[in-house]
Amino acid sequence: MILTVRAPLAGTVIGIEDVPDPVFAGRLVGPGLALEPERTGGRVTALAPVRGTLIKVHPHAFVIAGEGGRAVLVHLGLDTVSLGGSGFTVLAEEGQRVEAGSPVINWSPAQIESGGLNPIVPVIALEGNESDLEPMSPDRTVAAGETLMTWA
């Protein structure tokens, strides 16, 4: 069964190895890719990339367990845990079932950047094998909800 992982927000695709964070670039939490979010100046709603259950929800990140027990992490910005939730509005709760495209967290990439942090958004196939992923090519611009990668 193939799991389609959709873009949680609009942006430009970046290879995971190009994320300026050794944990993500080194694939220590799993393979995947990242999005350089559009800077609209306004707030953006991060959407569920797959259908499943929210097993972790923090203001800056969330994990959804999808079909076959495969879990996807969406991390909103780098080092944003240091903000203690400031600037993020959580729209869903742990244990909640969601569809791909359901709103999860509202935030402002421009505000994160103006505060000195990087707003890049890693999308990670937790405990996945790189060989099972078909990621979109880097440097492509995607709309929220567009297929980002498939996970076999």
Side-chain angles (χ1 to χ4, degrees):
M1 164 177 42
I2 293 177
L3 180 66
T4 299
V5 180
R6 302 190 181 284
L9 46 85
T12 303
V13 177
I14 297 174
I16 197 68
E17 65 279 357
D18 294 324
V19 172
D21 179 288
V23 172
F24 291 115
R27 297 168 175 83
L28 298 179
V29 291
L33 44 74
L35 289 169
E36 181 69 43
E38 290 181 352
R39 308 294 199 285
T40 60
R43 294 185 67 81
V44 173
T45 299
L47 308 175
V50 296
R51 177 171 33 130
T53 302
L54 283 160
I55 58 173
K56 278 285 178 209
V57 179
H58 299 285
H60 67 282
F62 58 94
V63 176
I64 298 176
E67 297 174 17
R70 293 175 286 187
V72 177
L73 164 69
V74 175
H75 200 284
L76 304 173
L78 302 179
D79 299 320
T80 48
V81 67
S82 67
L83 298 174
S86 178
F88 298 91
T89 303
V90 177
L91 306 172
E93 58 189 43
E94 273 184 32
Q96 182 177 334
R97 295 264 318 145
V98 293
E99 295 297 321
S102 295
V104 181
I105 297 172
N106 186 271
W107 68 305
S108 171
Q111 181 182 355
I112 297 301
E113 191 169 49
S114 70
L117 297 177
N118 190 324
I120 196 168
V121 178
V123 180
I124 306 297
L126 291 176
E127 299 182 14
N129 293 317
E130 189 116 24
S131 61
D132 294 335
L133 298 182
E134 288 278 334
M136 181 177 280
S137 300
D139 300 321
R140 244 186 101 196
T141 300
V142 296
E146 191 173 336
T147 298
L148 203 51
M149 62 183 158
T150 57
W151 186 356

